Amino acid sequence: MRMIYKPQEYRIKDERMKPFIDESEIWEILDKAKATKDNVRKIIQKSLDKNRLSLQETAVLLKTEDPELIEEIKQGARELKEKVYGDRIVIFAPLYIGNKCVNNCTYCGFRASNTKQKRTTLNHDQIKGEVTALEDNGQKRLILVYGEHPLYDADFIADSVRTVYDVKSGNGEIRRVNINAAPLDIEGYKKVKAAGIGTYQIFQETYHREAYAKYHLSGKKKDFNWRLTGLDRAQEALIDDVGIGALFGLYDWKYEVLGLLRHVNHFEACYNVGPHTISFPRIKAASDSNIDPEFEVSDADFIRLVAILRLAVPYTGMILTARESKEIREEVIKLGVSQIDAGTNIQLGGYSEDNAKAQKLEQEQFEIGDPRSLAEVIDELLDKKYLPSFCTACYRKGRTGEHFMEFSVPGFIKRFCTQNAILTLAEYLEDYGSVGMKRKGYELIEEKIGELKDIQKIDDLLIRLEKVKNGERDLYY
Ligand code: SAM
Ligand code: SF4
């Protein structure tokens, strides 16, 4: 069922590398869209029937201002999440490797001109220290984050990925390393791929060239097209697991949603596979930054945009980060988020120092809104009957395009995702859970097994669960 990479079916290479964003086209689609009760409801239903929405249909949802219909859009997103993905939430943590940067993105604490920022690049031993602390906390999936600097070239990134995979502390290990770094050239991506990365993530920040120029004052990142085609070069290097994103607050949020969708369309048209994930960070305060509030996205609009994205691309993973507060995260998770970070500390070297320490903006990229520990987040997810998952099975079994399969292959979630979530949660409970959390966690596991019983034999899962309790690890489907 995986959308296969078939080079012979591609359009010519030059066509794929062409910048595909046309601002006037996006504005025209938005301007022409008209929301009526009838068409909004039809579009929501189309998504609930497991269909992707077009740019025009998404524009109709974006143009909807009637509070009753906005509520129906949110309800549709919640329904889609429940119906299709169930209640699993995949957990990861970011690990900042270095904050040197040659660019000047006006919103970011790491920008070259910010003399208040303390610059640090973790060395081999410091990375090991950080990863040990993360593993001792129960993390299994990381995203490594880098500023853009000649020091952080592809060899450096590949080397840091290998260092992370090599660290084993007790029963802990990192099983999937994703990357958020500057766009590379094709040779660079090949080197990083060889180190065994999961997703390569690049946020376009804004899909509007004029706005882009306003915020990206100097350095390589100034080149809009180099960034826009960054993940096409990744595809050329056979990295087909990529993540896109827009930084909300730089330009009109409705335009950016269509920009993201246009990016998805480009991938589907050129490579037969969409991006693995979409991120939608909102700008947060950063050291010495001063962002024009003209395009600030309110909480209500943020919630709306996540719901619309969910309906527009029902089979793409959606990532919500700790930039947002606990309260917003609770609200937005219900709308179809599939991954969140937890136990997040974005201070360079912050995990092995002191996790509870107050945030220091001069050592961080921006301020985070949810500084809770991993245990606190897991505890709350369990209370709310979400199934926290540390699963990395699809990636390791070569099942890329898993969101698509979750969505379209009958029984996929129950056969793979729920069982793997249960096994990885049990590992977490055994190795890192308090007595109270263990009780709560195993109660939820029992409930989930009860739900699986109607559809399949679960003897094998029960055997594996017993094995986890007896100390075996990394048993996955
Ligand atoms: N330096 C690389 C780059 O710019 O692509 C790697 C990642 S950068 C450290 C990660 C992302 O953080 C950026 O792409 C941007 O969207 C986001 N970011 C930067 N400043 C931010 C801020 N003040 N608030 C929220 N997110 C921010
Ligand atoms: Fe550097 Fe990335 Fe920050 Fe821009 S967003 S200043 S490239 S770290």
Side-chain angles (χ1 to χ4, degrees):
M1 212 52 201
R2 159 100 176 85
M3 299 214 186
I4 307 260
Y5 183 96
K6 289 184 193 147
Q8 70 277 15
E9 285 181 7
Y10 287 175
R11 295 175 189 172
I12 55 165
K13 187 172 163 189
D14 288 350
E15 192 60 31
R16 282 183 283 144
M17 291 297 182
K18 243 195 213 159
F20 47 85
I21 290 290
D22 175 347
E23 284 84 348
S24 54
E25 176 204 40
I26 293 180
W27 272 121
E28 205 179 305
I29 292 172
L30 265 175
D31 288 343
K32 279 195 182 150
K34 286 207 173 35
T36 64
K37 271 201 169 81
D38 216 34
N39 65 355
V40 169
R41 285 178 181 151
K42 268 193 200 135
I43 291 167
I44 296 172
Q45 193 53 49
K46 180 177 173 189
S47 175
L48 288 172
D49 291 339
K50 298 190 171 189
N51 297 301
R52 267 270 268 109
L53 301 183
S54 67
L55 285 161
Q56 287 75 6
E57 288 160 338
T58 308
V60 169
L61 300 186
L62 290 166
K63 287 291 276 292
T64 305
E65 296 300 337
D66 175 347
E68 188 191 335
L69 289 177
I70 291 177
E71 201 34 61
E72 288 182 31
I73 290 172
K74 289 195 259 176
Q75 189 47 36
R78 283 184 213 111
E79 236 178 278
L80 189 70
K81 152 113 178 125
E82 274 164 34
K83 214 164 88 173
V84 178
Y85 294 106
D87 37 24
R88 273 170 315 113
I89 298 286
V90 171
I91 309 277
F92 69 96
L95 172 58
Y96 278 67
I97 301 292
N99 65 354
K100 293 190 177 185
C101 194
V102 293
N103 295 321
N104 266 308
C105 313
T106 54
Y107 46 80
C108 176
F110 292 171
R111 70 190 180 283
S113 66
N114 183 7
T115 50
K116 292 188 182 145
Q117 184 75 205
K118 199 175 147 217
R119 307 286 165 174
T120 313
T121 303
L122 302 187
N123 63 28
H124 188 80
D125 287 344
Q126 287 168 318
I127 295 177
K128 277 167 72 177
E130 288 288 278
V131 176
T132 302
L134 283 156
E135 287 178 1
D136 291 348
N137 223 333
Q139 302 281 4
K140 295 282 185 283
R141 307 168 58 111
L142 298 184
I143 182 150
L144 305 191
V145 187
Y146 310 74
E148 180 161 2
H149 194 273
L151 202 62
Y152 312 147
D153 62 8
D155 289 310
F156 177 91
I157 295 175
D159 204 44
S160 50
V161 170
R162 291 195 181 95
T163 304
V164 169
Y165 280 131
D166 280 347
V167 178
K168 312 275 176 211
S169 179
N171 279 337
E173 60 181 350
I174 298 301
R175 297 175 184 160
R176 177 174 176 131
V177 176
N178 298 333
I179 299 292
N180 187 321
L184 301 174
D185 60 19
I186 295 171
E187 284 315 303
Y189 284 118
K190 284 182 185 164
K191 287 180 185 169
V192 173
K193 181 178 165 66
I197 62 158
T199 310
Y200 201 101
Q201 215 180 52
I202 299 174
F203 303 158
Q204 185 58 28
E205 320 299 12
T206 169
Y207 286 92
H208 192 272
R209 286 177 177 79
E210 210 177 292
Y212 190 92
K214 186 170 130 196
Y215 297 108
H216 301 98
L217 302 181
S218 61
K220 196 158 186 183
K221 191 162 165 183
K222 213 169 168 267
D223 185 343
F224 179 92
N225 290 344
W226 172 255
R227 194 164 181 88
L228 189 65
T229 52
L231 293 172
D232 291 273
R233 292 190 297 283
Q235 294 277 351
E236 289 298 313
L238 302 187
I239 297 179
D240 60 358
D241 186 337
V242 297
I244 64 170
L247 181 57
F248 281 88
L250 299 181
Y251 190 59
D252 184 276
W253 66 267
K254 296 181 181 178
Y255 174 95
E256 302 294 10
V257 168
L258 288 192
L260 285 167
L261 201 54
R262 184 70 191 79
H263 206 160
V264 173
N265 289 351
H266 169 75
F267 267 93
E268 290 186 346
C270 294
Y271 310 106
N272 284 337
V273 63
H276 184 174
T277 54
I278 294 191
S279 300
F280 32 84
R282 262 196 302 183
I283 290 197
K284 307 298 289 182
S287 140
D288 214 24
S289 80
N290 188 9
I291 292 294
D292 181 353
E294 185 185 354
F295 295 112
E296 194 175 323
V297 181
S298 67
D299 290 350
D301 286 344
F302 183 65
I303 290 167
R304 230 169 117 187
L305 82 83
V306 177
I308 293 173
L309 269 175
R310 174 70 301 154
L311 292 173
V313 284
Y315 49 78
T316 306
M318 303 224 315
I319 301 182
L320 175 68
T321 70
R323 287 175 180 83
E324 299 297 336
S325 66
K326 168 181 182 293
E327 292 71 27
I328 292 284
R329 298 232 284 180
E330 274 170 28
E331 183 64 31
V332 168
I333 282 174
K334 295 182 208 152
L335 299 170
V337 165
S338 47
Q339 292 187 32
I340 61 168
D341 56 339
T344 298
N345 187 323
I346 62 171
Q347 189 179 307
L348 273 290
Y351 291 110
S352 49
E353 271 181 39
D354 177 3
N355 223 352
K357 198 162 26 197
Q359 293 182 54
K360 291 188 198 143
L361 277 190
E362 71 283 2
Q363 288 173 31
E364 296 176 355
Q365 194 187 14
F366 50 78
E367 197 172 72
I368 58 170
D370 186 358
R372 286 176 299 164
S373 68
L374 175 60
E376 284 172 294
V377 174
I378 299 261
D379 205 51
E380 185 182 301
L381 289 173
L382 293 174
D383 280 341
K384 300 226 150 72
K385 304 287 179 196
Y386 284 109
L387 186 57
S389 173
F390 295 89
C391 177
T392 51
C394 280
Y395 150 71
R396 291 155 81 209
K397 290 265 188 190
R399 291 192 299 253
T400 48
E402 72 258 36
H403 287 292
F404 178 74
M405 292 193 274
E406 284 174 26
F407 190 80
S408 52
V409 179
F412 185 92
I413 292 191
K414 287 189 166 149
R415 209 152 22 102
F416 297 106
C417 315
T418 307
Q419 304 202 66
N420 287 329
I422 287 173
L423 291 171
T424 55
L425 173 61
E427 285 184 344
Y428 177 83
L429 296 172
E430 291 298 324
D431 291 337
Y432 312 101
S434 64
V435 175
M437 188 191 283
K438 256 176 129 167
R439 183 186 40 75
K440 220 189 285 181
Y442 277 117
E443 272 171 23
L444 185 74
I445 286 176
E446 242 177 70
E447 266 178 48
K448 296 292 160 197
I449 291 176
E451 288 166 18
L452 288 176
K453 262 183 190 154
D454 332 329
I455 53 120
Q456 64 195 80
K457 286 190 182 165
I458 48 154
D459 305 359
D460 188 63
L461 175 63
L462 294 177
I463 291 169
R464 289 186 191 211
L465 199 53
E466 218 37 55
K467 285 183 177 172
V468 171
K469 288 182 185 169
N470 290 326
E472 276 190 56
R473 293 291 172 266
D474 207 15
L475 306 169
Y476 56 92
Y477 293 97

